[in-house]
Amino acid sequence: MTFQEDSSPLLISGVKPVGFGRGVPQETTDILIGGDGKIAGVGHSLQAPERARRIDAKGAYVSPGWVDLHAHVWHGGTDISIKPQVCGIERGVTTIVDAGSAGEANFHGFREYIIEPARERIKAFLNIGSIGLVACNRVSELIDMRSIDIDRTIACVEANRDIIIGIKVRASGVIVGAWGITPVKIAKKVAKILKLPLMVHVGEPPPVFDEVLEVLGPGDVVTHCFNGKAAANIMEDEDLFQLAQRCANDGIRLDVGHGGASFSFKVAELAIQRGLLPFSISTDLHARSLDNPVWDMGTTMSKLLSVGMPFEAVIDASTRAPMEVIGLPTENLLSPGTRAEFTVFEVNDSDLRIVDSMGYNAHLPRLIEPIWTILGQEAVKASRYVPPRKSALESSACPHCGWINAR
């Protein structure tokens, strides 16, 4: 991250820690961050140096910086990506993981023009298709074997292991056509060679969700786990639901990946009622999902809260769980000497009416709203993204995600 920092200390008073793991009391405290960006002290009524800047959090929560495990920010390099700043630190997100916008043929541009200048930390799953999402579904990245160059993909990962943290493949009929499960098997083989996790987008078949799960192993990620598409909905097929439960217990990570066509309130609610919680919460933000229906990370977290996911689990699934996937430290995040990286947020009563990816309305009685993002000793004001009201209530059909029948 390349940005200028204020070198004076920062005192954040009156915050309640959540999501830092065992051993960190969830009681109101103060956090002092030194001029070097590292935590200098945590405790009650801390005395700050005279030149320190001060934030009175007034009892708001503080968590590790939010991590969005699935977004699309190769702005200008694909026809669906948004700029990182639209969904990053001003929304409480300190780490954005781009989920396959770039393939080996254009990753160098993504790194030079987007990742390196960004204030946010950006990591990436590299698309197994060489062209990535340059023209999204107008030109599929997985037409046939000519779309994949295994040697160049491996070389690209090896040259960019500081940023590339896995391989991505989109496994749904609008993308792979009659090719079916084969691209998933190829992507899994490449991921195994590289000793990296595989993220698979699931949607309308082929292939069917069951086939995808059978290819994956511990550490791999299934994104769009609560989609409501026919033949890909884990709640419409008891055998599939039980398979998903077994896979989750074996270490396959179920990721929300909301997106324009891939999150159903009802599927999420029923799965959570039966004890199947997502491993991670992510937005799948892109140009066609930003205004309708995703908005941002805080709103997506609020949706999971509204369908019965426990508050602490929501925070963990938005912080330490995705941090584990991408290899960031998950322990001692509130200990002196650790570089500060936090999201300060409130949970407020709400009467917000919103839609899911299927176009169905829901009520969010509580809203998770970021107010500050802390990067080292820098404090950035944060807020939820609020789209034009007309967009927020319209149908959420997303042909770019392969689903066009939203009501």
Side-chain angles (χ1 to χ4, degrees):
M1 292 179 289
T2 55
F3 56 91
Q4 187 173 1
E5 297 179 337
D6 188 326
S7 60
S8 59
L10 173 66
L11 177 65
I12 308 170
S13 62
V15 283
K16 185 184 299 183
V18 62
F20 289 95
R22 295 179 181 176
V24 178
Q26 293 187 16
E27 57 186 35
T28 304
T29 190
D30 301 340
I31 302 172
L32 178 62
I33 301 167
D36 59 358
K38 295 180 180 180
I39 299 169
V42 178
H44 300 286
S45 302
L46 291 181
Q47 296 300 313
E50 183 176 334
R51 56 191 290 267
R53 293 162 294 132
R54 289 171 169 80
I55 293 175
D56 182 0
K58 300 178 181 178
Y61 291 98
V62 64
S63 72
W66 294 349
V67 178
D68 190 346
L69 191 63
H70 183 160
H72 294 282
V73 292
W74 188 182
H75 182 71
T78 83
D79 67 351
I80 66 164
S81 293
I82 58 178
K83 295 179 179 180
Q85 57 265 38
V86 174
C87 58
I89 58 172
E90 293 182 10
R91 304 289 168 249
V93 175
T94 61
T95 302
I96 302 168
V97 183
D98 186 278
S101 297
E104 55 83 10
N106 55 14
F107 183 82
H108 60 292
F110 183 32
R111 176 169 189 144
E112 180 175 350
Y113 300 120
I114 300 294
I115 295 174
E116 291 181 351
R119 301 176 74 185
E120 299 80 5
R121 176 190 295 107
I122 300 178
K123 301 290 186 177
F125 283 92
L126 184 71
N127 202 310
I128 192 64
S130 290
I131 65 170
L133 305 183
V134 171
C136 200
N137 296 1
R138 294 184 294 111
V139 181
S140 171
E141 73 273 22
L142 293 172
I143 297 171
D144 56 32
M145 194 59 212
R146 292 170 296 177
S147 301
I148 299 174
D149 190 316
I150 293 174
D151 290 337
R152 286 176 61 96
T153 296
I154 291 173
C156 181
V157 172
E158 295 294 4
N160 296 279
R161 278 194 178 264
D162 57 327
I163 293 171
I164 297 173
I165 49 80
I167 299 296
K168 170 74 182 294
V169 60
R170 295 201 296 163
S172 58
V174 71
I175 299 147
V176 301
W179 208 9
I181 195 66
T182 301
V184 177
K185 292 181 176 180
I186 295 170
K188 178 59 179 175
K189 173 59 72 173
V190 172
K192 288 174 71 174
I193 292 169
L194 292 164
K195 297 180 172 56
L196 291 175
L198 175 65
M199 174 185 275
V200 184
H201 153 126
V202 291
E204 70 294 332
V208 296
F209 202 153
D210 316 54
E211 289 181 284
V212 171
L213 289 174
E214 289 165 0
V215 174
L216 304 184
D220 292 331
V221 180
V222 175
T223 192
H224 311 317
C225 66
F226 292 152
N227 81 80
K229 300 175 184 178
N233 173 345
I234 62 172
M235 299 311 302
E236 69 181 2
D237 179 342
E238 182 61 23
D239 290 337
L240 174 57
F241 179 80
Q242 292 184 11
L243 176 60
Q245 278 190 317
R246 291 196 299 273
C247 288
N249 291 337
D250 290 341
I252 293 175
R253 293 145 166 173
L254 303 183
D255 174 62
V256 169
H258 190 310
S262 300
F263 178 76
S264 162
F265 284 122
K266 182 55 67 177
V267 172
E269 182 176 37
L270 292 174
I272 289 169
Q273 284 176 356
R274 293 187 60 178
L276 184 60
L277 273 63
F279 178 85
S280 54
I281 296 171
S282 66
T283 63
D284 186 18
L285 271 169
H286 52 73
R288 280 93 184 188
S289 69
L290 176 64
D291 285 341
N292 182 30
V294 179
W295 301 8
D296 65 356
M297 188 67 177
T299 306
T300 304
M301 294 163 68
S302 303
K303 291 181 182 182
L304 274 298
L305 190 66
S306 75
V307 295
M309 190 170 178
F311 172 66
E312 289 79 7
V314 168
I315 303 306
D316 191 64
S318 307
T319 55
R320 294 199 306 146
M323 289 165 68
E324 179 185 325
V325 176
I326 63 178
L328 295 179
T330 59
E331 301 298 328
N332 303 314
L333 301 177
L334 199 56
S335 299
T338 300
R339 181 171 176 78
E341 187 169 320
F342 308 133
T343 302
V344 180
F345 65 96
E346 298 173 336
V347 181
N348 297 318
D349 292 338
S350 167
D351 194 34
L352 182 65
R353 299 284 169 175
I354 202 163
V355 297
D356 64 8
S357 295
M358 316 305 293
Y360 289 96
N361 292 307
H363 169 224
L364 299 187
R366 291 188 294 166
L367 274 177
I368 297 173
E369 307 199 54
I371 54 176
W372 291 97
T373 305
I374 309 299
L375 294 170
Q377 70 274 38
E378 183 185 27
V380 179
K381 284 289 290 180
S383 63
R384 286 191 315 109
Y385 176 79
V386 179
R389 189 61 181 166
K390 185 173 184 290
S391 298
L393 296 176
E394 288 176 346
S395 167
S396 39
C398 184
H400 297 273
C401 294
W403 190 74
I404 58 174
N405 295 318
R407 71 173 179 89

